[in-house]
Amino acid sequence: MFRTALRNVLAHKARLLMTALAVVLGVAFATGSLVFSQTRSDAAAEQASAGYDRIAVNVGVDAVPDGGAPTGLDERLASQLARVPGVAHAANRVDGSAAVADRTGRLLGDGGSHRGSNYAPADRHGTEGTDGTDPAYRFTAGHGPTHDDEIALDASTAARGGYRVGDRVRVGTGQAAATYRLSGVFRSDGHRLTDGGTLTLFTTRTAQRLFATPGHVQSIELTAESGISAPELAERVEKLLPKGAGAVTGATLGRIQANLASSDQDTMGQILLGFSLVAMFVAAFLISNTFTMLIGRRTRELALLRLLGASGRQVRRILLAESVLVGSVASALGLLIGTGVAAALNRLLGTASSPAGPLVLSPATLLGTMLLGTATTVVAAWLPARRAMSIAPVTALTGSDTPTPATARSPRTAVGAALTGIGVLVVVYGAVGAGPDARTVIGLGTLLAVVGVLGLIPLLARPFVAVLRPLLLRISPVQGVLATRNTTRDPRRTGATAAALTVALALASGLSVLGASASHYLERATTHDFTADYLVKPAVDSARLTAANTKAAAGTPGATVSGLNQSTGYVLGGSPAVLTGVDPTAVGRLMRYELVGGSLDALTRGRIAVADYKAKESGWHVGQSLPVRRGGKSGRVTVGAIYRADPQSNLLPSITAADSLVARYDESPHTHVILVATDRTSGGASPATYSALTHALGDDPALAVLDRSAVEDEYSGDIGDQLDIFYALLTMAALIAGLGVTNTLALSVLERQKEIGTLRAVGLARAQVTRMIRWEALIVGAFGATLGTLLGIFLGWALGRTLQDTVSGYTLVLPWGRLAAGIALAMTIALLASLWPARKASRVAITTATSAA
């Protein structure tokens, strides 16, 4: 049996090429995803935990007595701990946020981490001093800061900023920005420097002034003498620690950081694996179609085996053995290619802050991907092989090798209709009434609906082609009619070929709907309410905007400025409230207030403006006088205007008041952001205006100055980037679907050689034959893409409905341009897939019409 299967595979190797290629691509995708994600996960974990093996014990504040504000540890504690038996030396650590500017004044670093810390060299007594080095840092140029006007930068930041030792560097820390002399460039442990982030070192005294309080530090790192275990040292140190402080071994901290660092990589690995499984799912249609058509071509051959005494089960086993051979060989090749791709990506994407690390080839990955590819091939070939059991021995005596085409009506259609109906009902229930389990319910319904639709595809092929037929008759009367007849001749084959495109387009269009709806919501929550030219916000965690910043920004020539100054702790009309103070004469030009009652000018008369959702919730109306209380101060305010607002808006507040009104109850409100509009007569929003504004703010890199496009990117840019990644991943599934179109058309041409020869004999030119095959491909592409797009829109709607309860203002948006582009791309792939089969069909000789079957 095995020899027979091997001989058959070799005899039909050209016809099985596309099947093998689809398996190779799917397995390569899965292998590359797993190997790359595991390699990066291990590298990230190793990087994040690097340096903790040097730390025996870390002492820090783990509790605050009586709920007071943490003040850190007394720096003198390090000297006490250094005298504990077994402690080699103790280093004080003071950490905070520090933003580094490049030579143009813009913030350096593409990550969210802008860290500042102290340089703590150890002296010969084991405590911090000035005559040693800090083992946490390895200097490649210069030395650590020794004077308060000096800093050191990590190598990546220095390179991006073009800084060398001796240069002047502008640094912001949340206080007033200052310029420092660069004393050195260093490399550091991974846990101190995150991907794309920056790390700036100050002297301990400067770091205390900026990030803590004089005489206090946030943690103390202890290094153990040889032969002393970390747990033992931690036990000795615990006895000397003040209340509220704790000791943790470096190994424990390392494990925690490693787990945190690898979790993001694991998530991406799961996403990649999910898309690779989609690719294999799509490949299964190609495999099934190929074996179905091959069995059709080999009807007489298989019947002859039956005539010679082979049972139906033996025929099935031979065909399944063929699928095992094809699947295992293709999987092995895909495994090699995927491993090579993972190695190349690992090397190409490795950086100084995110090192490549050694390639991780786990037995589970290698065995799992081999089994995945082989099992997918066998499962996809099972149904065609099962049908082969019904081939009667007498068929060997007939004159045709091609069976009667399958029809759309079958038990499969009934099952598909039932599953589709149940799946749609489950999805609708999940969208409108499933509560907290809505997404799980929608996922289950989606699975049922997709399986059901795939079962219904053969039945839907005929009416779809019937709708296209009048259009094709106008465009190409002869080839169009022939193409429609050929695609409806075997609806199962047409459906199986289109199914792969349906799956790919369903995912792509569903993502498009969700992405467009989310982007529209974010635009409504940000730039829709934002009519100013610039928005100023903190760029680092420690930065805080103040009234002084607002006053400084107002010094920009031709600028209209207002801060959004949030004041909490109010009881207004008996309800808790947050008031946002603004400049009443400027705010109308800086934000869009869509009034539903009253006038925004009421702010200048000491009245308040209220968002419609807040007014509805509290039962307020224009002209109503409300008691207000904050702390020991009380009074009354009047509602002067009501405006439309989204509760999730990042800018438009629930209650707007004049700064003077807020000042009666709160002398130091929190400035959330500063809005700046520029006078067009003074140049408007321009590089010169931007420079003037940043200069007015003290050239402080800790304050981000964003124009309108930057504001939009700040809140919605990640969605577009993630969608682009997902679309790129779905391209693999689309390419495999294209291979399916190529394979189906090529085998179809092989089956129809006598028919094509007859068409040539009655006058059909080679070019017309080519166009006929291309039209067949376009019909299949349009069918799969249209069905997939409709399914994706439905699923996008359902998932979007689950967001409406938690994301107020979320509405369904259909990105017609992107959906149309998806259909056009699918048809383009189908058209390209038809080039080789069409060329083969055009070369069929006229004499084929008179040859034997």
Side-chain angles (χ1 to χ4, degrees):
M1 184 183 68
F2 179 80
R3 288 197 300 271
T4 303
L6 179 60
R7 184 172 60 250
N8 289 336
V9 168
L10 294 176
H12 301 94
K13 55 182 179 294
R15 302 178 188 180
L16 289 168
L17 179 62
M18 293 298 176
T19 294
L21 184 56
V23 176
V24 167
L25 290 176
V27 171
F29 196 170
T31 303
S33 301
L34 291 171
V35 172
F36 178 70
S37 61
Q38 186 61 51
T39 298
R40 300 295 281 184
S41 178
D42 286 7
E46 182 178 353
Q47 180 194 34
S49 61
Y52 282 109
D53 55 349
R54 176 185 51 78
I55 304 171
V57 177
N58 186 83
V59 177
V61 177
D62 59 2
V64 180
D66 303 324
T71 56
L73 301 168
D74 191 318
E75 64 179 351
R76 293 172 296 183
L77 179 61
S79 299
Q80 299 175 28
L81 297 178
R83 292 192 291 271
V84 172
V87 174
H89 70 264
N92 287 319
R93 296 298 178 198
V94 186
D95 298 314
S97 298
V100 182
D102 64 13
R103 294 184 182 276
T104 65
R106 294 183 180 272
L107 181 66
L108 279 173
D110 54 5
S113 175
H114 304 277
R115 293 189 59 186
S117 189
N118 66 314
Y119 180 67
D123 63 18
R124 62 181 180 272
H125 300 295
T127 57
E128 183 184 342
T130 58
D131 58 349
T133 59
D134 190 333
Y137 308 103
R138 303 174 299 281
F139 279 82
T140 59
H143 55 80
T146 56
H147 298 88
D148 290 348
D149 63 345
E150 291 182 336
I151 61 167
L153 292 176
D154 68 273
S156 178
T157 302
R160 282 178 290 181
Y163 290 123
R164 295 182 178 180
V165 173
D167 288 346
R168 309 294 290 179
V169 183
R170 190 75 172 171
V171 180
T173 57
Q175 302 182 21
T179 302
Y180 300 84
R181 176 184 173 275
L182 183 62
S183 67
V185 176
F186 62 88
R187 296 189 183 280
S188 180
D189 303 329
H191 74 276
R192 295 187 179 277
L193 183 60
T194 59
D195 291 354
T198 63
L199 178 57
T200 307
L201 296 182
F202 303 85
T203 63
T204 297
R205 185 167 61 180
T206 301
Q208 287 175 326
R209 174 174 57 83
L210 295 173
F211 308 135
T213 56
H216 290 84
V217 298
Q218 288 149 345
S219 64
I220 302 171
E221 293 178 358
L222 305 180
T223 303
E225 293 178 347
S226 178
I228 302 298
S229 68
E232 181 183 356
L233 189 61
E235 188 176 342
R236 295 178 185 179
V237 167
E238 284 276 8
K239 300 174 183 178
L240 299 178
L241 298 183
K243 186 179 180 180
V248 181
T249 63
T252 300
L253 291 176
R255 286 194 297 271
I256 294 172
Q257 294 301 320
N259 291 335
L260 292 174
S262 61
S263 61
D264 291 341
Q265 298 292 337
D266 290 342
T267 300
M268 179 53 68
Q270 292 169 4
I271 293 174
L272 290 173
L273 180 59
F275 278 98
S276 65
L277 292 177
V278 170
M280 289 302 300
F281 183 64
V282 171
F285 292 99
L286 189 161
I287 297 165
S288 180
N289 225 15
T290 300
F291 273 90
T292 299
M293 298 179 75
L294 282 178
I295 290 170
R297 289 291 300 171
R298 295 163 56 190
T299 301
R300 292 181 64 190
E301 172 192 329
L302 298 175
L304 184 59
L305 288 175
R306 295 292 311 279
L307 193 64
L308 294 175
S311 67
R313 294 179 182 274
Q314 287 177 311
V315 170
R316 183 182 64 186
R317 285 199 292 268
I318 290 172
L319 293 173
L320 291 179
E322 293 177 21
S323 69
V324 170
L325 285 170
V326 173
S328 58
V329 172
S331 297
L333 184 58
L335 190 147
L336 292 175
I337 294 175
T339 302
V341 170
L345 288 175
N346 186 46
R347 184 173 296 276
L348 290 173
L349 299 179
T351 63
S353 60
S354 181
L359 205 64
V360 178
L361 296 174
S362 68
T365 297
L366 301 180
L367 182 61
T369 50
M370 277 291 296
L371 289 176
L372 174 66
T374 305
T376 301
T377 308
V378 173
V379 171
W382 174 266
L383 191 58
R386 188 170 178 274
R387 292 197 193 106
M389 295 174 60
S390 62
I391 297 177
V394 71
T395 309
L397 305 176
T398 64
S400 176
D401 216 18
T402 305
T404 304
T407 63
R409 293 183 174 86
S410 67
R412 164 182 167 174
T413 302
V415 173
L419 289 177
T420 301
I422 294 172
V424 169
L425 291 176
V426 171
V427 170
V428 172
Y429 169 70
V432 301
D437 298 325
R439 291 171 195 171
T440 302
V441 173
I442 289 175
L444 176 61
T446 299
L447 179 61
L448 295 174
V450 169
V451 173
V453 168
L454 295 180
L456 281 177
I457 280 182
L459 183 65
L460 300 175
R462 290 186 186 278
F464 181 83
V465 174
V467 171
L468 290 182
R469 186 182 176 91
L471 177 63
L472 294 177
L473 287 177
R474 290 187 179 184
I475 299 175
S476 182
V478 177
Q479 297 93 321
V481 171
L482 291 173
T484 56
R485 289 178 178 176
N486 290 333
T487 51
T488 56
R489 177 185 302 177
D490 192 338
R492 282 187 182 175
R493 179 187 303 172
T494 300
T497 306
L501 286 171
T502 298
V503 173
L505 264 293
L507 290 173
S509 56
L511 287 172
S512 296
V513 170
L514 283 175
S517 301
S519 296
H520 175 73
Y521 161 74
L522 289 174
E523 188 275 333
R524 290 282 302 180
T526 54
T527 52
H528 177 268
D529 302 326
F530 173 58
T531 58
D533 295 312
Y534 297 102
L535 180 148
V536 182
K537 57 173 289 189
V540 296
D541 294 339
S542 61
R544 294 291 182 270
L545 293 172
T546 64
N549 296 128
T550 304
K551 184 177 180 180
T556 306
T560 300
V561 178
S562 177
L564 299 186
N565 306 303
Q566 293 181 343
S567 180
T568 60
Y570 288 85
V571 177
L572 181 61
S575 303
V578 176
L579 268 61
T580 300
V582 299
D583 181 345
T585 63
V587 70
R589 187 182 170 191
L590 302 171
M591 290 195 296
R592 180 179 286 109
Y593 283 87
E594 298 178 2
L595 296 176
V596 295
S599 170
L600 202 60
D601 292 337
L603 294 176
T604 61
R605 301 192 298 273
R607 298 188 174 189
I608 60 173
V610 182
D612 53 354
Y613 65 86
K614 181 67 174 177
K616 182 178 180 181
E617 172 189 309
S618 304
W620 299 340
H621 57 81
V622 174
Q624 184 175 357
S625 177
L626 303 171
V628 58
R629 184 179 74 255
R630 183 180 186 273
K633 301 178 181 179
S634 61
R636 299 193 71 85
V637 294
T638 302
V639 178
I642 296 177
Y643 53 89
R644 292 189 180 91
D646 189 326
Q648 303 296 325
S649 175
N650 291 284
L651 294 177
L652 211 57
S654 59
I655 303 174
T656 307
D659 283 330
S660 57
L661 176 60
V662 171
R664 298 178 194 171
Y665 303 93
D666 188 356
E667 296 179 356
S668 56
H670 165 62
T671 302
H672 175 47
V673 296
I674 300 172
L675 303 178
V676 181
T678 56
D679 188 348
R680 300 297 182 268
T681 60
S682 301
S686 65
T689 304
Y690 176 89
S691 297
L693 177 57
T694 55
H695 183 68
L697 291 168
D699 294 317
D700 189 348
L703 301 180
V705 178
L706 309 177
D707 59 17
R708 292 187 61 81
S709 62
V711 170
E712 186 173 352
D713 292 341
E714 178 84 5
Y715 294 103
S716 60
D718 288 346
I719 290 180
D721 294 341
Q722 291 171 4
L723 286 177
D724 290 341
I725 293 174
F726 293 154
Y727 292 146
L729 295 174
L730 285 173
T731 302
M732 179 66 72
L735 289 177
I736 294 176
L739 291 177
V741 175
T742 299
N743 204 40
T744 300
L745 290 176
L747 292 175
S748 176
V749 167
L750 190 62
E751 286 181 356
R752 293 154 48 196
Q753 288 198 39
K754 185 173 181 179
E755 173 189 321
I756 294 172
T758 302
L759 291 174
R760 292 289 317 284
V762 298
L764 204 65
R766 292 181 184 273
Q768 291 176 307
V769 172
T770 299
R771 286 195 291 272
M772 178 186 70
I773 300 299
R774 290 176 180 173
W775 274 119
E776 291 180 30
L778 286 173
I779 291 172
V780 171
F783 178 41
T786 302
L787 193 59
T789 300
L790 293 175
L791 187 59
I793 291 174
F794 174 65
L795 298 179
W797 164 81
L799 288 173
R801 284 279 306 182
T802 65
L803 299 175
Q804 290 181 342
D805 292 336
T806 56
V807 183
S808 176
Y810 179 93
T811 56
L812 178 69
V813 175
L814 297 181
W816 295 111
R818 192 172 293 175
L819 295 174
I823 295 176
L825 177 61
M827 294 181 66
T828 301
I829 290 175
L831 181 61
L832 293 175
S834 71
L835 295 181
W836 179 56
R839 187 168 179 268
K840 285 190 63 177
S842 67
R843 293 188 172 188
V844 174
I846 296 177
T847 56
T848 309
T850 59
S851 64

